[in-house]
Amino acid sequence: MTDPVRATLEAVYRGESRRIFATLVRLLGDFDRAEEALHEAFRAALEQWPAQGVPANPRAWLVSAGRFKAIDAIRRQARFSPWDESAERAEALADPAPGWDADTDELEDDRLRLVFTCCHPALSPDAQVALTLREVCGLATEEIARAFMVPAPTIAQRIVRAKARIRDARIPYQVPTRTELPERLDAVLRVVYLVFNEGYAASSGQSLTRADLSAEAIRLGRLLVELLPDAEAAPEALGLLALMLLHDARRAARTSAQGEIVLLDRQDRGLWHRAQIEEGAALVERALRSRRFGPYALQAAIAAVHAEAERAEATDWPQIVGLYDVLLRLDPSPVAELNRAAAIAMRDGPAAGLALVDALFARGELADYHLAHGARAELCRRLGRLGEARGAYERALALARQQPERQFLARQLASLPG
């Protein structure tokens, strides 16, 4: 193969393979058959493009090649299995009725269909995450397993079961209707945010962050914003993308050169990614202007206030408290209450914040959440209640699973006088 053709084919694979796969899933009606057809299509291109030249529309050529390779494979199977439905299935796939014209480039909706299929509420949350990373993002099973600290066979089993569930339950490969979209979009956004959070603050392990996972989540967020119709729920897609960009903009400053955690008020703001902050802030404004915003847009607005402060001392804590008040009315949660308590402590002093944290614990909320105990420890330390601070740090340390967080808590505990 000539070098220019090889380079073109490799570039098409990197940039277009998941789009091609999404269309093949729609045309062939099966994940595994589409995956095999994808590889067969690229194998055919490897053989034919050097002699015939690169087609004007490589993506359409590859979709056509994959589709016909799959039809041929089913027809061959039908010769050896005359009593099954293979022949009828092959002829149905050969019929142009599936709604794809090789001469057009109207394939973008297929990626959105694939996202909603992978995040269908009939699948468990773990299966939704694994299937989305595998089929939409193209991550290998081993990569997903490493990211979530789960054995590869477990991830593989989740993916196999999810595909079987989609097939057996005849889950439609389609974008939900306008009336269904808000409810269904919630599941998609939740999956994307789960992926981002695992990359931004890993739940366990030796590393605080996984930049590759955060990047995949941001890529999915951009895809949703790009492809979603102008529906009632679209502002929350804007809000989620803004939230991820604003958090990710601080990545370089969140750890020291030795991998130790650096708290927000001590971060070198010169390391923050200003272009991401500007993009995120603009997306927040778009979402809030719609007046149809939800929790993601409000969280992004809070992140934007932090990101736009040139110095920690310049942070507009009253505005942040006000945004948390709106968030709690819209989507109450103990974690949001904890974050509001921290903001109250910065606005009104540690005693005011501690009273709110203690009220949470008194209600039985967040008893096993290490960050809540860490927050209480810090407030007690600031108030000089060192015995209580020590006990709270010890409880937080017992609950923390991530090594950098454990090291940070141990340092805080060791630094207490006496």
Side-chain angles (χ1 to χ4, degrees):
M1 178 186 294
T2 60
D3 286 345
V5 173
R6 180 183 294 276
T8 298
L9 191 55
E10 289 175 353
V12 171
Y13 187 84
R14 287 193 305 272
E16 305 286 351
S17 61
R18 300 328 289 176
R19 290 183 176 93
I20 296 165
F21 172 76
T23 298
L24 287 171
V25 171
R26 173 169 62 85
L27 296 177
L28 302 176
D30 182 88
F31 281 88
D32 293 332
R33 191 180 296 140
E35 191 74 46
E36 183 177 351
L38 176 71
H39 294 303
E40 288 296 325
F42 275 94
R43 184 177 292 112
L46 194 66
E47 296 170 353
Q48 297 178 37
W49 287 10
Q52 300 174 2
V54 177
N57 188 333
R59 189 199 307 175
W61 190 98
L62 288 159
V63 170
S64 285
R67 177 170 172 247
F68 286 115
K69 291 284 185 183
I71 292 169
D72 288 344
I74 295 171
R75 283 171 172 162
R76 285 196 301 272
Q77 178 186 348
R79 296 194 196 107
F80 299 100
S81 306
W83 301 109
D84 70 13
E85 300 176 351
S86 297
E88 292 182 15
R89 187 161 64 247
E91 296 313 311
L93 293 175
D95 191 320
W100 175 73
D101 181 350
D103 294 327
T104 71
D105 202 30
E106 300 294 327
L107 307 180
E108 293 304 315
D109 283 350
D110 287 328
R111 290 192 293 166
L112 196 58
R113 291 185 184 97
L114 185 58
V115 171
F116 276 99
T117 301
C118 290
C119 297
H120 195 278
L123 306 178
S124 71
D126 285 345
Q128 290 175 357
V129 171
L131 195 62
T132 300
L133 287 174
R134 176 70 191 90
E135 306 300 353
V136 179
C137 300
L139 271 64
T141 302
E142 292 75 12
E143 292 178 289
I144 303 169
R146 283 196 302 270
F148 288 91
M149 310 283 292
V150 174
T154 301
I155 293 294
Q157 190 175 58
R158 287 177 188 171
I159 293 171
V160 168
R161 287 177 175 172
K163 290 177 181 178
R165 174 68 174 160
I166 290 170
R167 182 186 64 246
D168 296 344
R170 299 185 182 278
I171 291 173
Y173 180 69
Q174 63 187 29
V175 176
T177 65
R178 182 174 291 270
T179 57
E180 296 172 328
L181 185 58
E183 179 182 355
R184 287 286 306 280
L185 183 60
D186 285 346
V188 174
L189 297 178
R190 179 182 53 78
V191 167
V192 174
Y193 199 36
L194 279 172
V195 174
F196 177 81
N197 277 333
E198 189 62 27
Y200 183 74
S203 57
S204 61
Q206 300 296 316
S207 177
L208 178 68
T209 64
R210 280 289 310 274
D212 53 346
L213 273 184
S214 294
E216 288 295 344
I218 290 172
R219 187 163 73 88
L220 282 171
R222 290 191 188 282
L223 177 64
L224 288 170
V225 168
E226 175 188 349
L227 299 182
L228 274 173
D230 183 20
E232 291 295 319
E236 273 296 79
L238 290 172
L240 177 57
L241 177 57
L243 179 61
M244 294 189 295
L245 287 169
L246 289 163
H247 281 323
D248 193 66
R250 302 198 299 262
R251 177 185 299 278
R254 293 183 63 225
T255 56
S256 68
Q258 294 74 36
E260 299 172 341
I261 291 176
V262 180
L263 295 180
L264 178 61
D265 61 345
R266 298 181 183 177
Q267 290 176 10
D268 178 356
R269 299 186 178 217
L271 296 176
W272 289 2
H273 197 297
R274 302 314 307 183
Q276 280 190 210
I277 290 173
E278 291 171 5
E279 182 184 2
L283 289 168
V284 170
E285 290 183 10
R286 283 179 60 191
L288 296 183
R289 275 202 308 270
S290 73
R291 301 195 179 278
R292 302 194 306 269
F293 55 83
Y296 291 118
L298 285 168
Q299 292 176 72
I302 293 167
V305 175
H306 281 296
E308 291 170 343
E310 294 183 0
R311 296 171 293 106
E313 300 77 18
T315 303
D316 188 345
W317 290 109
Q319 184 179 4
I320 289 175
V321 171
L323 287 167
Y324 272 120
D325 290 340
V326 178
L327 176 62
L328 285 167
R329 287 198 295 271
L330 188 65
D331 185 34
S333 78
V335 172
E337 286 190 64
L338 177 66
N339 292 334
R340 178 181 179 275
I344 290 284
M346 297 304 297
R347 187 190 70 177
D348 301 336
L354 182 61
L356 295 173
V357 173
D358 283 344
L360 274 171
F361 282 128
R363 289 182 358 224
E365 304 278 11
L366 305 180
D368 295 325
Y369 188 47
H370 69 284
L371 294 180
H373 292 280
R376 187 177 194 281
E378 172 61 17
L379 294 173
C380 287
R381 184 192 64 76
R382 289 169 59 187
L383 290 167
R385 294 161 58 170
L386 301 184
E388 291 180 69
R390 182 171 289 104
Y393 275 130
E394 289 172 348
R395 179 60 178 155
L397 187 58
L399 291 169
R401 296 172 55 202
Q402 186 196 79
Q403 191 58 27
E405 287 188 330
R406 291 181 56 79
Q407 291 171 346
F408 172 80
L409 291 167
R411 286 196 306 274
Q412 295 295 98
L413 181 58
S415 71
L416 291 175

